[in-house]
Amino acid sequence: MKAHLADLLNQAIQSLIQAGTLPPDAQADIHIENTRDKAHGDLASNLAMTLAKAARCNPRQLAEQICAALPASDQVVKTEIAGPGFINFFINPDAIYTVVGDILSQGKAFGRAKPNSGPRVQVEFVSANPTGPLHVGHGRGAAYGATVADLLEAAGLEVEREYYVNDAGRQMSILAASVWLRYLEELEAELSFPSNGYQGHYVRDIAHRLLQEHGSRFLQPTELVFADLPADEPQGGDKDQYIDALIERAQQLLGDDYTLIFNAGLDAILGDIRQDLSEFGVDYQVWFSERSLTHSGDVDTALNILQEKGHLYEAEGNLWFRSTAFGDDKDRVVRRANGQTTYFASDIAYHMNKFDRGFDQVINIWGADHHGYITRVKAAISALGHDPERLIVKLVQFAILYRGTERVQMSTRSGSFVTLRELRDEVGKDACRFFYVTRKAEQHMDFDLELAKSESKDNPIYYIQYAHARVCSVLRKLEAEGLQWDQQQGLMELKRLDSEAEKDLITKLSLYPEVLQNAALNYEPHLLANYLRELAGDYHTWYNGHKMLIDEAELRNARLTLSVAVRQVLANALELLGTSAPEQM
C-alpha cells in the first residue's frame, strides 16, 4: 500500500511540475508512515512540508494542491490535511485483502526488488585467520554477514561476497612452526612445545598427514632446532621473542621446505573453513589472498600513490603514513626499517583493490575489537582519492556460549574452544543461523544452548518453523479427507475474514516488503527475525481460534488461502535468514 501511495504522490508531483507549481528540478523525497490514531487515517506523508520551500508556498496550501492532483484510486477512500501540512490517507478497508493475492501470484519473488536494480556492493565478512577451525565467535559474524548480503540482494542490489584470507602474517608463521614441531614429535623427538604456539589437536592432525605424505623429509635434530634460542615464557623469557626466533630457525633449517609446511597448514585449515562455512549455508564468490597483494605489486603501488601525494614520510628508520591529516589519532607505520611492509600496508592495498574493481559500496563486517581500525582505514581510502563514505564498517560482538551457568572459554591458540561445527552438531544449523541474528550485531549476545535445542514457543526458530509446518499439516489433512483447496474461490471470499485477528494477520503480511527493505538498507537482520516471530505468533493465535477444515467450502477456502499466503511469506523470510522451512516437525 505504501508503494501504491508513493506512486500516486509521484504522479501528483509530476503534474504540479508541468503546471509550474513546482520547479522542474524539484526532488520528491517521499516518506509514508502509519498513523498513530486511526481517526486521522491509516497512512500519512509529510511530502508537502519537504517541498514547501521549493514551491515557495505554505505547506498546507501545497498539501491541498498535491491532494487535488492525486490520481483516482479505488484503494483510497479520501485524503485529509492535518497540522502544518501532513497528508492523511484513509484506505479502503477491502484494499487490505489484495496483498494475499499478490503473495500467491508472486510466490518467492514477493517482497523482493527487481534483481540488480541497485548499486554494486561488496560484502566482506568472517575473514578469520586460517590458523584454526572457526569457533562460535566467528559464527555470529558469518551468520550476520551472509544474511546482510542476502537481504541486500533481495533489495535489488548486485552483491559480491568475499573472504579475505590472511595468509601472509606472523600468525601463519606461528602456525607453520607449530605444525613442524608436532611433526617432529610424530617422529618421536622430545621437545618443549612453545607457549605461544598453536596447541589444538588439529595441528597434530596436519603434522600426521605431513608424515604420511613425506616421511622423515623434514626431520632435523632437536639440538639444532633449539640451539641458542632465547628463553620461552615459562623459563622467564619473552614468549613472542622466543616464537619469532623459532620461526627464523625453522626457515633456516628447512629452506624451501618451510614453504611446503607453511602451505600444508594453510591449505588444511582453509579447506576446513570453506567446508565449515558451506555447511553453515555461507558461500562466497571470492576468496581473496593477502599474499596476492604483494605478489601482484598492489602494496608497492598503493604506497607509491601515497608517496606521490605527499602522505608518507620517513622517521626512526620506518616509513609512515600521515593518517593524522585525515582524522586518525596518530600516524601509522607502513614499512619497517627492515624493509618489511606492515599488515596495515596490505590493508591499504586491499581497499584500493576493492575500489579498483568498481564496487559502488564496500561493506566490511569486523569483530568489535577492530573498532579502532576504522578511522585509519578510512584515512587511507581518503588519501588514495576515494570517498571514505563508500566504505561501511559494521562491528559484530562475539557471541558468548553458556552451558547452563558456566561460560565456555575460547582460545584458538590453546585449542580450548568450541568450534562452529560442534555448535551446529549440538543445536542444528537453523537454530545457529537464527539465534545469531536475533539481536543487533553491535549488542552483546549470550548464546543459550538449552533454549536453542528446546521444542517450545520460547524457542523463536522452532515457533516460526512450526507455523510453516502447521500450514503444511492442514493441507495434508485436507487431502486425506478427500477435499481440495480452491484458491480462486478463496481469494473471492477473503472479505469474510473480517475478525480483528484476521485483519491483523493480513496487515502483518502486507508489511513484509517494507520490513525486508528496512532490514536490508539498515544492515539489521534482527528486524526480519523479529517480524517473523510476530507473524508466526499472529498465525498461531488465529489458527487456535478458528477451525480450518470446516464444512462450508467458501469460508474454508478463504481461511486456507490466507494460511498458504502466511506459509509463503514465512518461507521467503526464513530463506533470507539462512534457515529451512520444514513441512513437518
Side-chain angles (χ1 to χ4, degrees):
M1 181 55 64
K2 289 183 179 180
H4 176 64
L5 294 182
D7 182 57
L8 296 178
L9 288 170
N10 263 318
Q11 292 183 58
I13 294 306
Q14 293 306 311
S15 296
L16 293 179
I17 289 174
Q18 291 176 6
T21 304
L22 288 170
D25 59 350
Q27 296 294 319
D29 186 16
I30 298 175
H31 292 282
I32 300 170
E33 304 293 339
N34 297 316
T35 58
R36 295 180 181 178
D37 186 349
K38 291 300 181 182
H40 298 151
D42 301 287
L43 298 165
S45 175
N46 65 346
L47 179 61
M49 290 181 282
T50 64
L51 285 176
K53 185 175 181 181
R56 297 183 178 180
C57 72
N58 181 281
R60 283 188 66 92
Q61 293 177 340
L62 180 58
E64 291 173 358
Q65 295 180 71
I66 292 173
C67 289
L70 283 170
S73 170
D74 57 8
Q75 297 187 43
V76 180
V77 175
K78 67 175 181 176
T79 59
E80 284 184 355
I81 300 166
F86 287 101
I87 301 173
N88 292 340
F89 295 88
F90 292 77
I91 306 302
N92 184 336
D94 293 341
I96 68 167
Y97 298 106
T98 61
V99 69
V100 177
D102 292 341
I103 293 168
L104 296 181
S105 63
Q106 296 174 32
K108 289 186 176 182
F110 178 72
R112 288 177 173 265
K114 183 179 178 181
N116 300 334
S117 58
R120 185 166 177 253
V121 176
Q122 185 215 55
V123 183
E124 183 232 318
F125 58 106
V126 183
S127 299
N129 287 343
T131 54
L134 297 178
H135 56 60
V136 296
H138 298 128
R140 190 177 188 191
Y144 176 75
T147 306
V148 165
D150 289 349
L151 287 171
L152 289 172
E153 206 162 60
L157 283 68
E158 182 181 351
V159 180
E160 188 169 285
R161 301 154 183 83
E162 183 157 304
Y163 190 114
Y164 182 54
V165 182
N166 302 112
D167 54 6
R170 177 171 176 265
Q171 296 305 318
M172 292 305 302
S173 294
I174 295 176
L175 175 67
S178 301
V179 169
W180 183 47
L181 293 179
R182 292 304 189 197
Y183 165 86
L184 294 178
E185 288 182 332
E186 288 280 324
L187 289 168
E188 300 185 354
E190 294 186 6
L191 54 87
S192 178
F193 197 80
S195 60
N196 213 18
Y198 284 98
Q199 301 179 37
H201 196 275
Y202 62 93
V203 179
R204 294 183 183 274
D205 292 339
I206 298 169
H208 184 71
R209 286 197 294 272
L210 272 177
L211 179 61
Q212 288 181 318
E213 294 173 12
H214 299 282
S216 60
R217 173 176 172 175
F218 312 122
L219 179 62
Q220 292 287 337
T222 53
E223 56 268 22
L224 289 180
V225 176
F226 297 99
D228 302 321
L229 292 183
D232 197 1
E233 188 173 65
Q235 290 75 44
D238 184 290
K239 63 180 181 180
D240 289 318
Q241 291 182 6
Y242 179 74
I243 196 69
D244 287 343
L246 192 53
I247 292 167
E248 186 176 351
R249 179 63 51 80
Q251 293 169 337
Q252 291 171 351
L253 293 176
L254 291 167
D256 291 341
D257 281 346
Y258 174 81
T259 301
L260 194 153
I261 294 174
F262 182 102
N263 287 336
L266 169 65
D267 293 344
I269 294 175
L270 191 58
D272 182 74
I273 289 174
R274 285 176 184 264
Q275 180 183 354
D276 203 5
L277 287 170
S278 183
E279 292 173 356
F280 194 44
V282 179
D283 294 294
Y284 297 84
Q285 284 80 40
V286 177
W287 293 75
F288 192 98
S289 164
E290 180 188 352
R291 285 192 291 181
S292 71
L293 294 168
T294 302
H295 296 155
S296 66
D298 279 3
V299 174
D300 289 337
T301 299
L303 296 185
N304 288 338
I305 292 173
L306 293 177
Q307 185 79 63
E308 292 169 2
K309 290 176 175 286
H311 300 311
L312 302 184
Y313 66 92
E314 291 188 13
E316 303 169 1
N318 299 319
L319 186 64
W320 298 72
F321 167 51
R322 191 176 284 105
S323 54
T324 51
F326 300 91
D328 199 4
D329 59 343
K330 63 180 180 180
D331 294 342
R332 309 290 174 176
V333 176
V334 291
R335 182 180 287 127
R336 297 189 180 91
N338 62 6
Q340 293 293 313
T341 54
T342 62
Y343 180 84
F344 180 52
S346 295
D347 236 3
I348 294 173
Y350 179 43
H351 285 83
M352 180 185 74
N353 180 286
K354 290 187 180 194
F355 287 114
D356 286 349
R357 281 185 269 162
F359 294 110
D360 299 300
Q361 191 175 71
V362 168
I363 301 172
N364 290 351
I365 295 173
W366 291 343
D369 55 336
H370 284 70
H371 180 272
Y373 214 72
I374 299 174
T375 303
R376 73 187 74 168
V377 171
K378 288 205 170 194
I381 290 171
S382 183
L384 287 167
H386 298 289
D387 180 3
E389 296 306 311
R390 289 169 61 193
L391 170 66
I392 303 294
V393 178
K394 303 303 294 182
L395 299 176
V396 179
Q397 288 283 353
F398 276 9
I400 298 175
L401 182 65
Y402 282 85
R403 293 191 184 281
T405 58
E406 183 181 354
R407 175 174 169 174
V408 179
Q409 299 299 320
M410 292 177 292
S411 168
T412 310
R413 183 122 351 118
S414 69
S416 61
F417 59 90
V418 177
T419 66
L420 178 59
R421 185 173 284 117
E422 289 170 337
L423 181 64
R424 291 203 326 270
D425 288 344
E426 184 165 350
V427 305
K429 178 183 80 73
D430 287 353
C432 288
R433 285 292 302 261
F434 190 88
F435 270 60
Y436 276 133
V437 298
T438 53
R439 294 176 66 85
K440 285 188 175 183
E442 65 270 20
Q443 289 181 335
H444 171 86
M445 178 186 184
D446 293 338
F447 197 110
D448 187 338
L449 282 171
E450 297 309 313
L451 179 61
K453 292 187 291 184
S454 69
E455 297 183 357
S456 70
K457 66 178 183 179
D458 295 325
N459 180 351
I461 184 60
Y462 179 85
Y463 190 62
I464 294 162
Q465 290 177 322
Y466 182 52
H468 183 275
R470 210 168 200 180
V471 179
C472 296
S473 175
V474 169
L475 294 177
R476 286 194 299 271
K477 291 177 182 177
L478 180 77
E479 184 178 358
E481 293 182 16
L483 301 173
Q484 289 185 333
W485 165 47
D486 186 332
Q487 177 179 322
Q488 194 58 41
Q489 185 183 72
L491 289 171
M492 294 176 61
E493 298 295 333
L494 284 175
K495 293 177 184 178
R496 298 186 63 178
L497 307 181
D498 56 3
S499 69
E500 286 304 310
E502 288 161 332
K503 289 182 177 180
D504 288 346
L505 182 56
I506 295 170
T507 299
K508 186 72 70 178
L509 290 174
S510 71
L511 294 176
Y512 174 66
E514 181 183 353
V515 172
L516 192 161
Q517 191 80 0
N518 286 338
L521 300 184
N522 293 302
Y523 319 111
E524 295 188 337
H526 72 278
L527 297 177
L528 187 58
N530 292 342
Y531 167 84
L532 270 179
R533 186 164 189 176
E534 291 173 3
L535 177 60
D538 288 348
Y539 181 74
H540 286 308
T541 298
W542 176 58
Y543 180 93
N544 292 333
H546 297 78
K547 188 176 179 181
M548 298 291 113
L549 302 185
I550 58 177
D551 293 333
E552 187 181 352
E554 292 84 355
L555 185 55
R556 180 180 70 235
N557 282 315
R559 288 175 179 173
L560 289 173
T561 298
L562 177 54
S563 294
V564 174
V566 171
R567 181 181 67 170
Q568 184 67 64
V569 172
L570 288 170
N572 290 0
L574 285 168
E575 182 180 10
L576 288 173
L577 295 181
T579 58
S580 66
E583 295 186 3
Q584 296 186 95
M585 294 183 71

